[in-house]
């Protein structure tokens, strides 16, 4: 005799729901209320390069390979005022970045192969875990080989303009990109 399995369906649904809940991306804890971001040298999660931008020194974490470039500043609860990330690509091409699982506003600066600013954007936080196809694309508007991400508000503070040249160790960085 075949008896219907009416109790298996609720348990299966509960198991699937629990698995989906546990598989979510971890979210970084926000900084303590009123707390300052850590100094740039303690904030870094890899190799870095000291770069001067508009007379200010920045310690920029390097994103030299595809995995690091994809992860970028995702899940960072803070970006110190004197820190950020420098993305180095093996070639110059049209590029677009998104705010994938980013917890704080980020200013992005696209640079061509010679270190000239192509365009800049003030990227805003999007809902955590939002599907990739729903994320706003911030485009380079030209062939970018370098991208710098800084704490939100940095572009205005530094007084940067499209066409400005930034001094970077171009040859060394290009040779290290993978």
């Amino acid at each position: 005799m075949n008896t219907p399995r009416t109790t298996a369906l609720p348990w299966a649904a509960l198991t699937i729901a629990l698995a989906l809940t546990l598989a979510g991306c971890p979210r970084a804890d926000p900084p303590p209320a009123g707390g300052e971001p850590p100094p740039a040298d303690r904030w870094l999660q890899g190799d870095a390069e000291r770069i001067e931008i508009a007379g200010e020194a920045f310690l920029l974490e390097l994103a030299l390979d595809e995995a690091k470039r994809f992860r970028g500043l995702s899940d960072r609860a803070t970006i110190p005022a004197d820190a950020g990330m420098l993305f180095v690509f093996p070639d110059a091409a049209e590029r677009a970045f998104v705010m994938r699982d980013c917890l704080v506003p980020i200013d992005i600066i696209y640079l061509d192969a010679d270190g000239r600013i192509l365009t800049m954007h003030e990227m805003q936080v999007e809902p955590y875990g939002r599907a990739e196809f729903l994320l706003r694309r911030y485009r380079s508007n030209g062939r970018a080989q370098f991208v710098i991400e800084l704490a939100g508000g940095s572009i205005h503070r530094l007084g940067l303009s499209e066409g400005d040249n930034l001094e970077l160790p171009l040859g060394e960085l290009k040779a290290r990109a993978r």
Side-chain angles (χ1 to χ4, degrees):
M1 177 170 130
N2 287 339
T3 46
R5 300 176 122 192
T6 55
T7 57
L9 187 56
W11 284 109
L14 180 60
T15 302
I16 290 170
L18 181 59
L20 290 173
T21 301
L22 295 175
C25 295
R27 185 169 183 146
D29 291 330
E36 290 294 315
D41 60 345
R42 288 200 336 240
W43 174 83
L44 296 171
Q45 296 180 7
D47 292 338
E49 187 77 31
R50 189 161 298 284
I51 303 291
E52 187 173 304
I53 303 173
E56 290 188 30
F58 289 85
L59 193 56
L60 302 180
E61 187 174 323
L62 298 177
L64 300 169
D65 61 41
E66 192 57 39
K68 184 86 173 188
R69 289 188 293 262
F70 182 82
R71 187 173 46 257
L73 294 175
S74 297
D75 290 314
R76 304 282 181 104
T78 62
I79 302 173
D82 64 342
M85 185 168 277
L86 173 58
F87 298 78
V88 183
F89 293 88
D91 61 344
E94 290 281 337
R95 307 219 183 268
F97 276 44
V98 297
M99 289 287 281
R100 180 184 311 104
D101 296 336
C102 294
L103 306 174
V104 295
I106 296 173
D107 285 358
I108 188 168
I109 305 165
Y110 287 100
L111 307 165
D112 68 12
D114 297 320
R116 185 177 60 84
I117 296 176
L118 295 170
T119 194
M120 301 174 287
H121 301 281
E122 296 172 338
M123 301 190 299
Q124 299 305 310
V125 174
E126 299 208 33
Y128 194 87
R130 177 175 268 180
E132 187 82 14
F133 73 94
L134 293 174
L135 296 172
R136 178 177 174 197
R137 302 295 192 257
Y138 296 89
R139 302 194 181 283
S140 62
N141 298 332
R143 296 173 51 80
Q145 187 159 7
F146 304 97
V147 178
I148 296 174
E149 289 185 343
L150 303 172
S154 296
I155 291 171
H156 287 298
R157 186 182 85 246
L158 296 168
L160 298 174
S161 299
E162 291 180 9
D164 289 352
N165 267 55
L166 300 185
E167 296 294 321
L168 301 172
L170 299 173
E172 176 193 331
L173 290 170
K174 289 177 186 178
R176 294 174 64 190
R178 301 181 295 283

